[in-house]
Amino acid sequence: MIHPVTTVTLNPAIDQTLEVDHLTVDQVNRVDSACSNAGGKGINVASCLADWGIYVCASGLLGNDNPELFTRLFKQKKIRDNFVRFDGETRTNIKIVNKSSGGTTDLNMSGQNISKVYLDRLLQRLSALENGSTLVLSGSLPPGCPEDFYTHLMQELAPKNLRIIVDTSGPALSSILTGHASAPFMIKPNLHELETFVGRDLKETSDIIQAAQELTNRGIENVIVSLGSEGSLFFSNKEALHARPPKITSASSVGAGDAMVAGLVAAALDNLNLEEMAKLATAFAVGKLELHGPNLPSKERINSLAKSVTTSHINN
C-alpha cells in the first residue's frame, strides 16, 4: 500500500502534562491533573493527519524499553509504525500548565545518545519511500546524531523527487538551508528561529519579508513564519499574506505548531492556494488548542474555524 505521507521524528518523547492552579517556582505545587501522551513533533503531525482522515506512516527512532504509549497511539489512529527501535528508553518531557496565567513551562530532556547503526537503519527504511510522496522532517536531533543528518537524508532521497516539509531549528535547519541538498518544498520557522538563521533582529514586517524572500530565492516554494498569538505569515515566490486566528479558549498549547504543520500537509495534498492553505493550517493549530494531546476536533469544527481565520495580503 502506498503511503503518500511519512513523518520522521528522530527525538520523540513521552509528553507528561501537569496542570496546576498557580505555578510557584521553588515551592511545592499541587498538581490538579496529569496525563501522558506519545509525543515528538513528527508523531504529533502524523496523529493530526490521521484525525483528518489521511493515511500516514510515522518513522524515526524509538526506544525499546517504553514503547507502549506510542504503539497504542499508532494502533488507535491506524498510523503505520515504521520506527527503528534502539536499545534503551525514549525520553520524557514534562510540561507544566499554569491555569492562572495560561502559560506552559517545558522541562525537556535531551534524549539518549544514538549510534550511527540506528541512523543507517532508518535511512535504509526511508529509501523505500514511493517516488513523489510527501516527507515531513520534524523536531530536534538526538545526542550523537550529526547536525547535517537531515541534509544528508535529503541528498540520499533526492532521486525520489519527494515533497519535503521541514520544521526544525538551530544547526539542523541551518544545515538544510545552507547545504548542498535540493531545497525543501516548505519550511515553518517561528520568528526567533528565523532571526537565529539570518543572524539579525526582525522587528518590522518588512524585515521578515526580506528574510523570507532570501529563503524563497533559494528555491523553497513556501515559507511560513509563526508569530504565536499574532498568527503566521505565509510566503510563496508570488505572494505573501498574514493569517490571524480567531479567539478561543485554550485547553493546551502543546503541539499547536505541529498541528499547523499537519494542516500545511493536508493543504498541499489538496493543492490549495496560499490563502486557502493559510486558513486551513491556522484552523488546525487553533483546533488543537481546544484539546489535550496530539488530537484534532471534528472536520466540521476545523472547517468552521477556517472560515473564522482572517487573512490580509502584504507587500512582497
Side-chain angles (χ1 to χ4, degrees):
M1 181 178 292
I2 295 175
H3 300 279
V5 181
T6 297
T7 69
V8 173
T9 312
L10 294 177
N11 202 19
I14 295 172
D15 287 333
Q16 186 175 33
T17 302
L18 311 176
E19 285 193 340
V20 298
D21 275 332
H22 180 77
L23 179 63
T24 305
V25 179
D26 295 332
Q27 292 189 24
V28 174
N29 292 269
R30 183 175 297 278
V31 175
D32 292 332
S33 66
C35 65
S36 294
N37 293 287
K41 295 181 71 64
I43 291 173
N44 293 342
V45 173
S47 181
C48 291
L49 286 172
D51 286 344
W52 190 245
I54 294 172
Y55 194 60
V56 60
C57 172
S59 190
L61 303 169
L62 272 180
N64 265 325
D65 292 352
N66 56 348
E68 293 81 11
L69 282 174
F70 299 93
T71 54
R72 188 184 309 155
L73 175 70
F74 299 151
K75 182 177 180 180
Q76 174 190 348
K77 298 203 175 188
K78 296 181 173 60
I79 297 169
R80 184 190 170 201
D81 177 2
N82 196 30
F83 274 86
V84 171
R85 263 55 173 188
F86 62 83
D87 295 331
E89 289 189 347
T90 298
R91 65 183 176 140
T92 297
N93 290 338
I94 298 173
K95 302 178 183 298
I96 305 172
V97 179
N98 187 351
K99 293 193 290 185
S100 64
S101 69
T104 301
T105 299
D106 290 353
L107 303 174
N108 291 348
M109 298 185 182
S110 298
Q112 182 167 316
N113 195 292
I114 298 298
S115 67
K116 184 176 181 297
V117 63
Y118 297 115
L119 296 172
D120 289 344
R121 289 177 190 174
L122 176 61
L123 183 57
Q124 184 177 16
R125 290 196 183 187
L126 294 176
S127 67
L129 288 177
E130 297 287 339
N131 290 344
S133 59
T134 298
L135 180 66
V136 182
L137 304 177
S138 292
S140 62
L141 304 177
C145 183
E147 293 178 349
D148 65 349
F149 181 77
Y150 281 145
T151 308
H152 175 64
L153 177 63
M154 291 169 61
Q155 289 172 331
E156 291 295 313
L157 299 179
K160 292 185 172 291
N161 296 314
L162 302 176
R163 182 159 49 181
I164 297 177
I165 297 172
V166 173
D167 183 19
T168 189
S169 59
L173 178 61
S174 295
S175 174
I176 289 172
L177 298 180
T178 59
H180 299 295
S182 299
F185 169 70
M186 182 185 300
I187 63 170
K188 192 199 74 67
N190 60 34
L191 180 57
H192 174 69
E193 291 164 351
L194 184 59
E195 288 177 330
T196 300
F197 173 70
V198 299
R200 61 183 186 272
D201 291 337
L202 305 173
K203 295 182 178 180
E204 303 294 334
T205 300
S206 58
D207 298 327
I208 303 173
I209 291 173
Q210 182 181 356
Q213 285 178 330
E214 292 175 18
L215 297 177
T216 57
N217 289 341
R218 294 169 183 258
I220 302 171
E221 293 189 32
N222 296 279
V223 176
I224 291 82
V225 183
S226 54
L227 306 175
S229 62
E230 296 301 313
S232 300
L233 301 179
F234 289 73
F235 298 91
S236 70
N237 55 5
K238 297 179 180 178
E239 58 181 326
L241 57 85
H242 189 173
R244 294 176 175 85
K247 301 293 185 181
I248 65 159
T249 300
S250 174
S252 173
S253 63
V254 177
D258 304 328
M260 171 167 274
V261 174
L264 294 170
V265 173
L269 291 176
D270 285 341
N271 296 312
L272 301 185
N273 63 37
L274 191 67
E275 184 170 12
E276 293 168 332
M277 175 185 290
K279 286 179 175 289
L280 184 63
T282 303
F284 267 54
V286 174
K288 163 64 199 75
L289 292 175
E290 298 178 334
L291 302 172
H292 289 289
N295 304 299
L296 286 184
S298 67
K299 277 196 171 185
E300 291 75 17
R301 176 59 176 161
I302 293 294
N303 288 329
S304 174
L305 288 169
K307 293 176 182 178
S308 300
V309 175
T310 59
T311 58
S312 57
H313 283 81
I314 55 180
N315 294 327
N316 190 6

